Amino acid sequence: MMATYITKRLLQAVLVLLGITAVVFFVLNLTGDPVELMLPPTATLDDIAAFRADHGFDDPIIVQYGRFLKGLCVGDFGTSYYYDEPALDLVLERLPATLELTLASLFMALIWGIPAGIISAVKRNSKTDVLVRIIALVGQCIPVFWLGIMMIMLFAVELHWLPTAGRGTFWHLVMPAFCLGVFTSASITRLLRSGMIDIMGKDFIRVARAKGLSQKVVVIKHAFKNAISSVLTLLGLQVAALLGGAVITETVFAWPGIGRLAVESIHNRDFMVVEAVVIVMALGFVLINLIVDILYSIIDPRVSY
């Protein structure tokens, strides 16, 4: 049953990726002619015509798309117009930096979001609960780019505690990871709080307390364990969102990941690199959601495929 389900999901993923490639390819080709940026201003009309013929820009758009799909089937995403290197190699070279930032921000979100959600649910309607809810609400409302700029001005420019940009040491990672993980942490806190409050009103929680179990056992073993499935769903979406949100964070902090590469490639009209970045991100979305669905059946025995 599980093997059949995974096979169906992978087939659906192929259709999703095919649709994404079509949308991205045709939208990018509507943004302008990359030849204008790839040749020097002194290029003659004959130079432009020869360049277009050599790179296939004279072919109909549907022919160019078909050629692009043919390359994808053999793992060829084309060559970067700007860097004159294979587009996939450029993306894979920057991917470890983005994964490092994503995992660090996710770790930060978990170590703050889960304890805050549990404490807020256990101390419902107390001053602590109100404070946690206010902080979580603010965390979900603050724009990522604004928070990043404010952190740079305070911790880098004024206090000189942290480096302003770049990648290399642990301290370079602190501000980008915190900035990217704030929204996820706030979302985990609010969702876990509401889920645990609902579960702690169930009959089996009353039975557990009637048996004389300690508050810690009731909260962690019974309430938290049953509320974690909703958090797992959120994590699947948030990990994928973190990959997408890294575009803004990497730009603000000059983090050398695929998000910054995508922004630079869009400015340069480097279509092949942008398409490679989007496809790699889309593949990450699909795989993460598939893993989350599989984990459902492991965490909750009631879930079956």
Side-chain angles (χ1 to χ4, degrees):
M1 294 278 296
M2 180 63 73
T4 303
Y5 174 76
I6 294 176
T7 302
K8 289 181 179 179
R9 286 295 300 270
L10 291 176
L11 292 176
Q12 293 172 1
V14 173
L15 296 178
V16 170
L17 292 175
L18 183 62
I20 291 173
T21 59
V23 172
V24 173
F25 185 88
F26 289 108
V27 169
L28 285 176
N29 277 274
L30 292 175
T31 61
D33 190 354
V35 175
E36 298 175 3
L37 297 177
M38 297 165 65
L39 292 179
T42 57
T44 63
L45 293 178
D46 292 337
D47 294 335
I48 295 175
F51 185 88
R52 293 181 63 85
D54 291 339
H55 288 77
F57 291 123
D58 286 338
D59 297 331
I61 188 67
I62 192 66
V63 174
Q64 296 182 43
Y65 178 63
R67 187 164 54 239
F68 175 69
L69 287 182
K70 183 179 178 181
L72 289 184
C73 294
V74 295
D76 181 9
F77 285 72
T79 301
S80 166
Y81 304 145
Y82 186 79
Y83 296 98
D84 195 25
E85 296 181 25
L88 184 59
D89 290 350
L90 288 170
V91 175
L92 295 180
E93 180 182 341
R94 302 282 190 99
L95 185 59
T98 297
L99 292 178
E100 178 186 346
L101 177 59
T102 300
L103 293 176
S105 61
L106 181 62
F107 176 75
M108 189 279 297
L110 290 174
I111 63 175
W112 285 99
I114 291 179
I118 294 175
I119 293 172
S120 182
V122 172
K123 298 185 177 182
R124 183 183 181 186
N125 296 328
S126 66
K127 292 182 180 179
T128 302
D129 178 31
V130 174
L131 178 62
V132 170
R133 282 188 290 167
I134 291 175
I135 295 175
L137 181 61
V138 172
Q140 286 189 305
C141 296
I142 296 179
V144 174
F145 69 90
W146 181 86
L147 179 61
I149 294 173
M150 293 299 104
M151 291 182 69
I152 290 175
M153 292 178 60
L154 176 61
F155 296 108
V157 178
E158 295 294 333
L159 300 176
H160 303 286
W161 287 357
L162 298 170
T164 56
R167 176 189 181 221
T169 67
F170 169 79
W171 303 111
H172 286 88
L173 184 62
V174 172
M175 286 198 295
F178 180 85
C179 184
L180 188 59
V182 163
F183 181 86
T184 302
S185 178
S187 301
I188 292 173
T189 299
R190 299 187 67 185
L191 182 62
L192 183 59
R193 175 188 179 275
S194 61
M196 288 192 63
I197 288 176
D198 179 63
I199 289 173
M200 291 177 71
K202 301 293 185 181
D203 291 337
F204 71 90
I205 296 294
R206 299 190 186 97
V207 171
R209 284 176 172 163
K211 290 180 178 179
L213 297 178
S214 65
Q215 176 74 350
K216 181 179 179 180
V217 173
V218 171
V219 171
I220 301 300
K221 186 176 180 180
H222 295 279
F224 175 71
K225 184 178 179 180
N226 285 274
I228 194 64
S229 59
S230 59
V231 176
L232 185 62
T233 304
L234 177 66
L235 285 179
L237 297 173
Q238 287 300 316
V239 170
L242 288 174
L243 289 172
V247 173
I248 299 175
T249 306
E250 289 178 2
T251 302
V252 172
F253 292 97
W255 187 265
I258 61 175
R260 188 181 177 200
L261 176 64
V263 173
E264 293 172 350
S265 300
I266 291 172
H267 287 311
N268 297 328
R269 295 180 188 171
D270 198 349
F271 297 161
M272 294 301 180
V273 176
V274 177
E275 290 159 357
V277 170
V278 173
I279 292 172
V280 169
M281 283 188 172
L283 184 60
F285 272 67
V286 172
L287 292 179
I288 289 169
N289 282 281
L290 178 60
I291 292 172
V292 169
D293 287 344
I294 294 174
L295 288 177
Y296 279 148
S297 61
I298 298 175
I299 295 177
D300 191 347
R302 296 171 297 179
V303 176
S304 175
Y305 297 107

